[in-house]
Amino acid sequence: MDACTITNAKSGLCSENCKFCAQSAFYDTGIETYDLKDVEKLHEEYDNANNIGSSKFGVVTSGRGIKKGTKRF
Ligand code: SF4
C-alpha cells in the first residue's frame, strides 16, 4: 500500500458556478477560503508528507486551472 498526501493550494473563491462544489464563490458554504499558498508553505507541507511516509504529494487548486508557464503556475 502507498500513502499519498494532497494539499489544497487554493481554496474557494472560484469564479465558476458548479452547483455541486463548495469552492464556487456563487454560494455561501462556510468553507475556509484562501488564495494560492506560497512556495515555502508548499515545501513545508511536502516535507511533512515525506516525514510521515507519503510516497506521492499532490497539489490541487480551486478554479479552472493555472496555465503552465505563467507566474502563478
Ligand atoms: S473549483 Fe472546479 S468544480 Fe469547483 S466551482 Fe470551481 S471549476 Fe467548478
Side-chain angles (χ1 to χ4, degrees):
M1 185 170 86
D2 292 325
C4 302
T5 297
I6 296 174
T7 184
N8 191 3
K10 177 178 174 276
S11 180
L13 311 171
C14 181
S15 62
E16 298 301 309
N17 188 11
C18 304
K19 295 192 182 344
F20 57 84
C21 182
Q23 301 203 70
S24 170
F26 283 76
Y27 309 104
D28 182 13
T29 60
I31 65 165
E32 179 186 5
T33 61
Y34 48 85
D35 204 351
L36 277 176
K37 293 177 179 173
D38 60 29
V39 172
E40 290 76 21
K41 176 67 176 167
L42 293 175
H43 280 185
E44 178 187 320
E45 292 179 349
Y46 171 81
D47 288 340
N48 289 339
N50 245 348
N51 289 338
I52 62 170
S54 288
S55 60
K56 307 271 189 309
F57 183 70
V59 178
V60 298
T61 61
S62 62
R64 296 188 66 186
I66 299 173
K67 288 198 168 80
K68 191 174 183 178
T70 62
K71 186 176 180 191
R72 282 174 74 81
F73 183 85

